[in-house]
Amino acid sequence: MTAAGRRVLVGRIVGLYGVQGWIKVESWTEPRVQIFKYQPWQLISAPGEGLEINTREIKGVSGRPQGKGLIAKLPGVDDREGAAALVGQDIYVARELLPPPGKDEYYWVDLEGLEVVTTEGVGLGRVSHLFATGANDVVVVRDGERERLVPFVQGVYVRSVDISGGRMVVDWDPEF
């Protein structure tokens, strides 16, 4: 699966700043202010019970560091009430906007959907998603029947990643 059309989670709206519609932003880009260079933003609200996912595309976001965080001004959001409606929304950008990863580096979105096989060729399923822990990232592999959590430690558990070939080889016991 190609990265075309995929979105990457780069931050979240976490609060309000002032009364003129400014918001506080948590950024997961490096450096954190880089989030303002990736536009348009796609704001996505997590659905509540019985609600649908709400997606909104925003162009022309401006922002700056403020204290230990970041603040942003979104076009068309000119008061505190309008900004309050955005708190909690995730900020995504198109994968194509991001620079290519370095050698042996990957965007999680590029790993999702890869077939996962052991070093002996036993199929374990496909990468569902990844999550971070204090020690290392973890790959969630699902095959329809079970879910496996494989530490994403290259050279130890993850032996190779072939994005274009759609495959990840892991040193992992299929029974574990």
Side-chain angles (χ1 to χ4, degrees), residues 65-91:
Q66 178 67 36
K68 293 182 180 181
L70 299 175
I71 60 171
K73 182 73 168 111
L74 281 61
V77 180
D78 298 317
D79 58 29
R80 192 170 178 86
E81 291 76 32
L86 302 174
V87 173
Q89 293 192 4
D90 290 330
I91 303 167

Side-chain angles (χ1 to χ4, degrees), residues 44-84:
I44 300 179
S45 62
E49 189 173 325
L51 299 176
E52 293 183 25
I53 294 175
N54 182 21
T55 303
R56 177 178 173 189
E57 186 171 283
I58 304 289
K59 297 177 184 176
V61 175
S62 60
R64 67 177 191 265
Q66 178 67 36
K68 293 182 180 181
L70 299 175
I71 60 171
K73 182 73 168 111
L74 281 61
V77 180
D78 298 317
D79 58 29
R80 192 170 178 86
E81 291 76 32

Side-chain angles (χ1 to χ4, degrees), residues 16-30:
L16 304 173
Y17 181 81
V19 295
Q20 296 180 342
W22 286 76
I23 55 171
K24 293 180 183 178
V25 174
E26 181 178 3
S27 172
W28 299 310
T29 63
E30 188 60 43

Side-chain angles (χ1 to χ4, degrees), residues 117-162:
V117 298
T118 67
T119 53
E120 292 80 32
V122 177
L124 299 179
R126 294 197 172 274
V127 175
S128 167
H129 61 282
L130 292 92
F131 63 89
T133 68
N136 53 262
D137 297 336
V138 174
V139 180
V140 179
V141 181
R142 291 188 179 145
D143 69 0
E145 295 177 20
R146 46 184 308 198
E147 178 177 273
R148 293 176 178 88
L149 304 178
V150 180
F152 191 81
V153 180
Q154 296 185 76
V156 178
Y157 302 111
V158 176
R159 295 303 177 107
S160 67
V161 175
D162 180 2

